[in-house]
Amino acid sequence: MKIFSESHKTVFVVDHCPYMAESCRQHVEFDMLVKNRTQGIIPLAPISKSLWTCSVESSMEYCRIMYDIFPFKKLVNFIVSDSGAHVLNSWTQEDQNLQELMAALAAVGPPNPRADPECCSILHGLVAAVETLCKITEYQHEARTLLMENAERVGNRGRIICITNAKSDSHVRMLEDCVQETIHEHNKLAANSDHLMQIQKCELVLIHTYPVGEDSLVSDRSKKELSPVLTSEVHSVRAGRHLATKLNILVQQHFDLASTTITNIPMKEEQHANTSANYDVELLHHKDAHVDFLKSGDSSREGSFKETITLKWCTPRTNNIELHYCTGAYRISPVDVNSRPSSCLTNFLLNGRSVLLEQPRKSGSKVISHMLSSHGGEIFLHVLSSSRSILEDPPSISEGCGGRVTDYRITDFGEFMRENRLTPFLDPRYKIDGSLEIPLERAKDQLEKHTRYWPMIISQTTIFNMQAVVPLASVIVKESLTEEDVLNCQKTIYNLVDMERKNDPLPISTVGTRGKGPKRDEQYRIMWNELETLVRAHINNSEKHQRVLECLMACRSKPPEEEERKKRGRKREDKEDKSEKAVKDYEQEKFWQDSERLKGILERGKEELAEAEIIKDSPDSPEPPNKKPLVEMDETPPVEKSKGPVSLLTLWSNRINTANSRKHQEFAGRLNSVNNRAELYQHLKEENGMETTENGKASRQ
Amino acid sequence: MPTVVVMDVSLSMTRPVTVEGSEEYQRKHLAAHGLTMLFEHMATNYKLEFTALVVFSSLWELMVPFTRDYNTLQVVLVTDGCLGIGRGSLRHSLATHNQRSESNRFPLPFPFPSKLYIMCMANLEELQSTDSLDCLERLIDLNNGEGQIFTIDGPLCLKNVQSMFGKLIDLAYTPFHAVLKCGHLTADVQVFPRPEPFVVDEEIDPIPKVINTDLEIVGFIDIADISSPPVLSRHLVLPIALNKEGDEVGTGITDDNEDENSANQIAGKIPNFCVLLHGSLKVEGMVAIVQLGPEWHGMLYSQADSKKKSNLMMSLFEPGPEPLPWLGKMGQLGPISDAKENPYGEDDNKSPFPLQPKNKRSYAQNVTVWIKPSGLQTDVQKILRNARKLPEKTQTFYKELNRLRKAALAFGFLDLLKGVADMLERECTLLPDTAHPDAAFQLTHAAQQLKLASTGTSEYAGYDHNITPLQTDFSGSSTERM
């Protein structure tokens, strides 16, 4: 594919000399009397278009089809020639639409039959056409700028379609010579200019048109190379609809179009609204939409132009939105845009319905090969893959990696996706430093923020299973927080503190753990740790994020403090709270001994221990999904913030739990000691104390 | 791309190869050895490749058929480069290539996109001593240059055959490994089939583009909004478990192989982002937009088989800043949180897509085309129909009248304006006695204005000028009177 082929630039040169005001001698009845009107009225005499009118409406139709199918990068420059050249528009994209051209043509008006034919000539227009072909289009400019030192790769080719009334074959030759000479001259000029480009290739299409019934003075000639730069072809065409047909064929040739006829379109009858008949509508589009037909070796269809491929309308049954495997989508243009069947079809599609199209087959199964669908007021012919695919019968995702895990947070991730949907930002935005902000980069940034802490499975998380955390979790990921956001986060934290005081149950997963799972206060500790991990992942976003963390730390640090006070009497615990790793190891042993000693005394304690030992063993199996809660529970001292008197049993049970948790921690450390992460953890611990350590660990998961 | 292996089993393939060892090999043994290596590679690293085997000498036989048909193929031809003699031989076929008729077409180029790899059980010198190499090169040329010839380096032996097939494997059968990323969530994946390099514009950008091995999700879009977009190709995105050296442990696809089975079972139980993503995409009916390279994007979605199976699929859009007109420029897509208000609505009841183009297409803007007489007649009839229902239809009457006027002026069709003016004057005389008095006024006014426009003088024939209804004493109260 080449962007800058001959069809990038098309120059229309239409003759506006006095003889073009002549009638085409093809009559149009415009006064059609309706049956039940008063009898005896003689209809008004039919009128006929001038050669000019025929030329203009045919070229407008050419442009209509072209703009429908290629609204961008295929440009038209319209020039009218009489005593001088009138260039009606420029190559800029804003000038590329029918309305602009129609308005400009109206301003020119029909040729003046009384003008002096001697000073009028099509040559003015042809010279201007060559001149305009040398002018750079915005697309060429953009490509050249982009390619920098490879700018010479950007081609400059074009086509001149000249509609005139020539006097003879030698007149035609004179016109061709003129174009060739002008190209030669202008290429010299362009060689020394920065904003002009040399013409590499120019296709001259000369259309001689004459009134119906007259003999042509000019003979047809197929494409001929006049020079390495210029090729020329001559078409001698009667005016009226013959000219329109010619230009319709040319637009198909020039832009590689093909025709598809949609057949069997059910449509209500105009007269009898309750009956419906089937109609056909012919559409034009790029020929690649037929690539499957060409490929299948049906070569008889190639070459001939008036061929159309028929596809059958399949009445849509549901409005189900499906993602079809589509190998191409091509804009269409109806051949007969204003006919009732055409506008019925286009309106149906513009209203948002899609229609599948079926290949008509005498036998065998139904083959849906295309789909018509509109997107934002543009209709596209989608090519659906009807050949079988190598991706048929692939393994199911459930058979692959991670396929056996059953507790993915599908709904949560769905919510995440909806929050991370994209929307167009058409107006440029600027960053604080004044540079252009690329919205897509913002989207990536947001994904980065939103995934800083995002456990994939339900059993890996507590906070995301808690409705109470939602107000905090949904705003903390934001780039910046409002005062209200901070307040909401704080409320959420207070609320959690409240829950903890009331000893509300938490949705801690017990999947994979044997036994009852961690105790209530243990659960809260896990929850707080996780929440801290989440908040900590965002503290660098803003100062307000920092405040949320401060609030969190303040709220959750209270219990250990209280505890400390309580424990002050108990020396061991006091030491434990200041724990450094070495001390801990030592203590662990001590605790172990303690528990051993107590085993015989406290039946309950023994059970707990047994249970804990099993848990301790479980990480031996390769990476259980619940690894995280287990690892986490090892770190903080038990939050013994029980209100009211505590039984000796509870105290000892907690103690044993603590001891066992220690063991787990060590175990986890051993697991992690393969890489440097374990060291990082230690480092953090030394710097920031216990709480950070936990966090560092959790965020690693 | 599915592969057809075409194996030469002609007599010359049984020529012995002198190997400095005990056993005596024939060329076909070497070929079989090379193919075994290829098939083993596919079985471990390229599992989803479909393969067929054809053997030929003077006739051919399909040994292992495909069960499907495909768009594209890779053909691996294994031969010793002895091209035979006489009619039907390759030499003869190439010599008479130009004399073939349409019904008796030479099989190359294949009628589908394809790559032809020729594995020669001979070394270069041997082939060059005859014109074999030239003939084989012609074959590649005939296949539009798609393919390559491989010859054995050095003496014919198992080792050198292996290295030749190794080159083929590197060229055509290396699995494409990538990392799928969504912020901090990542997964190692194999993309199957391998994405092929793509040339956007052979003239201004002739270097083929290849996709990144980091597939970065940039955001999400509803299936209804992405709306069956055209794609270059589709690929399965299979999560893989990599060991520390980066070698693939397995795709997790269950296999009969014992060792792999246990590894796969472990891999199956480790949460994988692909599975999470797939599940949510499926449930929500969305696609993930993924960046494949600079100005190149694709989409990830759940592709359901007809049965219960479904999988994570990636489709590649055409490279460029704006692959889908209805989404606009990809670079301009940003997070909804940056918008003043949620463009999807608070109740998720609207969408910012599709983007509306600046200019409407002809079929959406009521253009005037009079190429067929019926087009003109319909437009005149519309005016007439409304003229008869004046003054109720005053607005539509003038709207249609102005549309016709504009088109007639643009086409320089002034006779039509005169004709329609005459017709309106006639209508005026035909008005029944019961007609509203305003009707006559409006018809006369309209006819007059058309006549003025038909003079073509700039004063009255301005394109942007519109004929407005005549202000009469009746205009305001007309509806009340009815």
Side-chain angles (χ1 to χ4, degrees), chain B residues 214-226:
Chain B
D214 268 2
L215 307 171
E216 195 177 3
I217 291 176
V218 294
F220 302 87
I221 287 180
D222 288 306
I223 282 185
D225 289 336
I226 200 94

mmCIF file with all atom_site columns, all heavy atoms in Angstrom, chain B residues 214-226:
data_model
loop_
_atom_site.group_PDB
_atom_site.id
_atom_site.type_symbol
_atom_site.label_atom_id
_atom_site.label_alt_id
_atom_site.label_comp_id
_atom_site.label_asym_id
_atom_site.label_entity_id
_atom_site.label_seq_id
_atom_site.pdbx_PDB_ins_code
_atom_site.Cartn_x
_atom_site.Cartn_y
_atom_site.Cartn_z
_atom_site.occupancy
_atom_site.B_iso_or_equiv
_atom_site.pdbx_formal_charge
_atom_site.auth_seq_id
_atom_site.auth_comp_id
_atom_site.auth_asym_id
_atom_site.auth_atom_id
_atom_site.pdbx_PDB_model_num
ATOM 1   N N   . ASP B 1 214 ? 7.059   -6.677 25.414 1.00 0.00 ? 214 ASP B N   1
ATOM 2   C CA  . ASP B 1 214 ? 6.267   -6.203 26.546 1.00 0.00 ? 214 ASP B CA  1
ATOM 3   C C   . ASP B 1 214 ? 4.923   -5.773 26.012 1.00 0.00 ? 214 ASP B C   1
ATOM 4   O O   . ASP B 1 214 ? 4.836   -4.824 25.246 1.00 0.00 ? 214 ASP B O   1
ATOM 5   C CB  . ASP B 1 214 ? 6.953   -4.986 27.200 1.00 0.00 ? 214 ASP B CB  1
ATOM 6   C CG  . ASP B 1 214 ? 7.869   -5.393 28.323 1.00 0.00 ? 214 ASP B CG  1
ATOM 7   O OD1 . ASP B 1 214 ? 7.991   -6.619 28.549 1.00 0.00 ? 214 ASP B OD1 1
ATOM 8   O OD2 . ASP B 1 214 ? 8.455   -4.508 28.954 1.00 0.00 ? 214 ASP B OD2 1
ATOM 9   N N   . LEU B 1 215 ? 3.887   -6.506 26.377 1.00 0.00 ? 215 LEU B N   1
ATOM 10  C CA  . LEU B 1 215 ? 2.550   -6.153 25.924 1.00 0.00 ? 215 LEU B CA  1
ATOM 11  C C   . LEU B 1 215 ? 1.882   -5.386 27.054 1.00 0.00 ? 215 LEU B C   1
ATOM 12  O O   . LEU B 1 215 ? 1.500   -5.970 28.059 1.00 0.00 ? 215 LEU B O   1
ATOM 13  C CB  . LEU B 1 215 ? 1.767   -7.415 25.570 1.00 0.00 ? 215 LEU B CB  1
ATOM 14  C CG  . LEU B 1 215 ? 2.467   -8.359 24.584 1.00 0.00 ? 215 LEU B CG  1
ATOM 15  C CD1 . LEU B 1 215 ? 1.698   -9.662 24.472 1.00 0.00 ? 215 LEU B CD1 1
ATOM 16  C CD2 . LEU B 1 215 ? 2.603   -7.702 23.228 1.00 0.00 ? 215 LEU B CD2 1
ATOM 17  N N   . GLU B 1 216 ? 1.768   -4.084 26.862 1.00 0.00 ? 216 GLU B N   1
ATOM 18  C CA  . GLU B 1 216 ? 1.324   -3.247 27.965 1.00 0.00 ? 216 GLU B CA  1
ATOM 19  C C   . GLU B 1 216 ? -0.125  -2.826 27.792 1.00 0.00 ? 216 GLU B C   1
ATOM 20  O O   . GLU B 1 216 ? -0.472  -2.151 26.823 1.00 0.00 ? 216 GLU B O   1
ATOM 21  C CB  . GLU B 1 216 ? 2.228   -2.015 28.055 1.00 0.00 ? 216 GLU B CB  1
ATOM 22  C CG  . GLU B 1 216 ? 2.066   -1.290 29.359 1.00 0.00 ? 216 GLU B CG  1
ATOM 23  C CD  . GLU B 1 216 ? 3.020   -0.113 29.487 1.00 0.00 ? 216 GLU B CD  1
ATOM 24  O OE1 . GLU B 1 216 ? 3.766   0.170  28.538 1.00 0.00 ? 216 GLU B OE1 1
ATOM 25  O OE2 . GLU B 1 216 ? 2.979   0.533  30.552 1.00 0.00 ? 216 GLU B OE2 1
ATOM 26  N N   . ILE B 1 217 ? -0.946  -3.235 28.732 1.00 0.00 ? 217 ILE B N   1
ATOM 27  C CA  . ILE B 1 217 ? -2.352  -2.828 28.692 1.00 0.00 ? 217 ILE B CA  1
ATOM 28  C C   . ILE B 1 217 ? -2.435  -1.351 29.052 1.00 0.00 ? 217 ILE B C   1
ATOM 29  O O   . ILE B 1 217 ? -1.805  -0.894 29.999 1.00 0.00 ? 217 ILE B O   1
ATOM 30  C CB  . ILE B 1 217 ? -3.189  -3.685 29.660 1.00 0.00 ? 217 ILE B CB  1
ATOM 31  C CG1 . ILE B 1 217 ? -3.268  -5.126 29.133 1.00 0.00 ? 217 ILE B CG1 1
ATOM 32  C CG2 . ILE B 1 217 ? -4.597  -3.108 29.828 1.00 0.00 ? 217 ILE B CG2 1
ATOM 33  C CD1 . ILE B 1 217 ? -3.993  -6.084 30.042 1.00 0.00 ? 217 ILE B CD1 1
ATOM 34  N N   . VAL B 1 218 ? -3.198  -0.598 28.252 1.00 0.00 ? 218 VAL B N   1
ATOM 35  C CA  . VAL B 1 218 ? -3.314  0.838  28.513 1.00 0.00 ? 218 VAL B CA  1
ATOM 36  C C   . VAL B 1 218 ? -4.696  1.224  29.005 1.00 0.00 ? 218 VAL B C   1
ATOM 37  O O   . VAL B 1 218 ? -4.894  2.337  29.485 1.00 0.00 ? 218 VAL B O   1
ATOM 38  C CB  . VAL B 1 218 ? -2.961  1.658  27.250 1.00 0.00 ? 218 VAL B CB  1
ATOM 39  C CG1 . VAL B 1 218 ? -1.501  1.478  26.895 1.00 0.00 ? 218 VAL B CG1 1
ATOM 40  C CG2 . VAL B 1 218 ? -3.847  1.287  26.077 1.00 0.00 ? 218 VAL B CG2 1
ATOM 41  N N   . GLY B 1 219 ? -5.660  0.341  28.866 1.00 0.00 ? 219 GLY B N   1
ATOM 42  C CA  . GLY B 1 219 ? -6.995  0.659  29.340 1.00 0.00 ? 219 GLY B CA  1
ATOM 43  C C   . GLY B 1 219 ? -8.002  -0.322 28.763 1.00 0.00 ? 219 GLY B C   1
ATOM 44  O O   . GLY B 1 219 ? -7.629  -1.293 28.110 1.00 0.00 ? 219 GLY B O   1
ATOM 45  N N   . PHE B 1 220 ? -9.268  -0.034 29.034 1.00 0.00 ? 220 PHE B N   1
ATOM 46  C CA  . PHE B 1 220 ? -10.317 -0.975 28.663 1.00 0.00 ? 220 PHE B CA  1
ATOM 47  C C   . PHE B 1 220 ? -11.433 -0.265 27.901 1.00 0.00 ? 220 PHE B C   1
ATOM 48  O O   . PHE B 1 220 ? -11.658 0.927  28.090 1.00 0.00 ? 220 PHE B O   1
ATOM 49  C CB  . PHE B 1 220 ? -10.857 -1.663 29.910 1.00 0.00 ? 220 PHE B CB  1
ATOM 50  C CG  . PHE B 1 220 ? -9.792  -2.385 30.686 1.00 0.00 ? 220 PHE B CG  1
ATOM 51  C CD1 . PHE B 1 220 ? -9.037  -1.713 31.639 1.00 0.00 ? 220 PHE B CD1 1
ATOM 52  C CD2 . PHE B 1 220 ? -9.499  -3.708 30.429 1.00 0.00 ? 220 PHE B CD2 1
ATOM 53  C CE1 . PHE B 1 220 ? -8.020  -2.352 32.335 1.00 0.00 ? 220 PHE B CE1 1
ATOM 54  C CE2 . PHE B 1 220 ? -8.481  -4.363 31.113 1.00 0.00 ? 220 PHE B CE2 1
ATOM 55  C CZ  . PHE B 1 220 ? -7.745  -3.686 32.077 1.00 0.00 ? 220 PHE B CZ  1
ATOM 56  N N   . ILE B 1 221 ? -12.107 -1.021 27.047 1.00 0.00 ? 221 ILE B N   1
ATOM 57  C CA  . ILE B 1 221 ? -13.211 -0.471 26.256 1.00 0.00 ? 221 ILE B CA  1
ATOM 58  C C   . ILE B 1 221 ? -14.284 -1.551 26.148 1.00 0.00 ? 221 ILE B C   1
ATOM 59  O O   . ILE B 1 221 ? -13.971 -2.749 26.063 1.00 0.00 ? 221 ILE B O   1
ATOM 60  C CB  . ILE B 1 221 ? -12.697 -0.030 24.852 1.00 0.00 ? 221 ILE B CB  1
ATOM 61  C CG1 . ILE B 1 221 ? -11.853 1.243  24.967 1.00 0.00 ? 221 ILE B CG1 1
ATOM 62  C CG2 . ILE B 1 221 ? -13.847 0.192  23.885 1.00 0.00 ? 221 ILE B CG2 1
ATOM 63  C CD1 . ILE B 1 221 ? -11.309 1.760  23.667 1.00 0.00 ? 221 ILE B CD1 1
ATOM 64  N N   . ASP B 1 222 ? -15.545 -1.117 26.157 1.00 0.00 ? 222 ASP B N   1
ATOM 65  C CA  . ASP B 1 222 ? -16.641 -2.070 26.016 1.00 0.00 ? 222 ASP B CA  1
ATOM 66  C C   . ASP B 1 222 ? -16.647 -2.672 24.612 1.00 0.00 ? 222 ASP B C   1
ATOM 67  O O   . ASP B 1 222 ? -16.304 -2.004 23.637 1.00 0.00 ? 222 ASP B O   1
ATOM 68  C CB  . ASP B 1 222 ? -17.971 -1.359 26.255 1.00 0.00 ? 222 ASP B CB  1
ATOM 69  C CG  . ASP B 1 222 ? -18.158 -1.006 27.716 1.00 0.00 ? 222 ASP B CG  1
ATOM 70  O OD1 . ASP B 1 222 ? -18.057 -1.910 28.553 1.00 0.00 ? 222 ASP B OD1 1
ATOM 71  O OD2 . ASP B 1 222 ? -18.381 0.182  28.013 1.00 0.00 ? 222 ASP B OD2 1
ATOM 72  N N   . ILE B 1 223 ? -17.066 -3.928 24.543 1.00 0.00 ? 223 ILE B N   1
ATOM 73  C CA  . ILE B 1 223 ? -17.137 -4.602 23.246 1.00 0.00 ? 223 ILE B CA  1
ATOM 74  C C   . ILE B 1 223 ? -18.040 -3.838 22.280 1.00 0.00 ? 223 ILE B C   1
ATOM 75  O O   . ILE B 1 223 ? -17.731 -3.695 21.104 1.00 0.00 ? 223 ILE B O   1
ATOM 76  C CB  . ILE B 1 223 ? -17.633 -6.065 23.432 1.00 0.00 ? 223 ILE B CB  1
ATOM 77  C CG1 . ILE B 1 223 ? -16.483 -6.928 23.951 1.00 0.00 ? 223 ILE B CG1 1
ATOM 78  C CG2 . ILE B 1 223 ? -18.170 -6.634 22.126 1.00 0.00 ? 223 ILE B CG2 1
ATOM 79  C CD1 . ILE B 1 223 ? -16.796 -8.389 24.068 1.00 0.00 ? 223 ILE B CD1 1
ATOM 80  N N   . ALA B 1 224 ? -19.131 -3.295 22.798 1.00 0.00 ? 224 ALA B N   1
ATOM 81  C CA  . ALA B 1 224 ? -20.046 -2.552 21.935 1.00 0.00 ? 224 ALA B CA  1
ATOM 82  C C   . ALA B 1 224 ? -19.363 -1.331 21.338 1.00 0.00 ? 224 ALA B C   1
ATOM 83  O O   . ALA B 1 224 ? -19.669 -0.930 20.222 1.00 0.00 ? 224 ALA B O   1
ATOM 84  C CB  . ALA B 1 224 ? -21.273 -2.123 22.732 1.00 0.00 ? 224 ALA B CB  1
ATOM 85  N N   . ASP B 1 225 ? -18.445 -0.745 22.076 1.00 0.00 ? 225 ASP B N   1
ATOM 86  C CA  . ASP B 1 225 ? -17.761 0.457  21.589 1.00 0.00 ? 225 ASP B CA  1
ATOM 87  C C   . ASP B 1 225 ? -16.641 0.130  20.604 1.00 0.00 ? 225 ASP B C   1
ATOM 88  O O   . ASP B 1 225 ? -16.420 0.852  19.648 1.00 0.00 ? 225 ASP B O   1
ATOM 89  C CB  . ASP B 1 225 ? -17.179 1.253  22.764 1.00 0.00 ? 225 ASP B CB  1
ATOM 90  C CG  . ASP B 1 225 ? -18.262 1.920  23.588 1.00 0.00 ? 225 ASP B CG  1
ATOM 91  O OD1 . ASP B 1 225 ? -19.353 2.154  23.038 1.00 0.00 ? 225 ASP B OD1 1
ATOM 92  O OD2 . ASP B 1 225 ? -18.024 2.198  24.773 1.00 0.00 ? 225 ASP B OD2 1
ATOM 93  N N   . ILE B 1 226 ? -15.959 -0.962 20.848 1.00 0.00 ? 226 ILE B N   1
ATOM 94  C CA  . ILE B 1 226 ? -14.862 -1.325 19.941 1.00 0.00 ? 226 ILE B CA  1
ATOM 95  C C   . ILE B 1 226 ? -15.453 -1.894 18.655 1.00 0.00 ? 226 ILE B C   1
ATOM 96  O O   . ILE B 1 226 ? -14.896 -1.726 17.572 1.00 0.00 ? 226 ILE B O   1
ATOM 97  C CB  . ILE B 1 226 ? -13.862 -2.311 20.603 1.00 0.00 ? 226 ILE B CB  1
ATOM 98  C CG1 . ILE B 1 226 ? -12.508 -2.301 19.888 1.00 0.00 ? 226 ILE B CG1 1
ATOM 99  C CG2 . ILE B 1 226 ? -14.379 -3.723 20.638 1.00 0.00 ? 226 ILE B CG2 1
ATOM 100 C CD1 . ILE B 1 226 ? -11.520 -1.384 20.493 1.00 0.00 ? 226 ILE B CD1 1
#
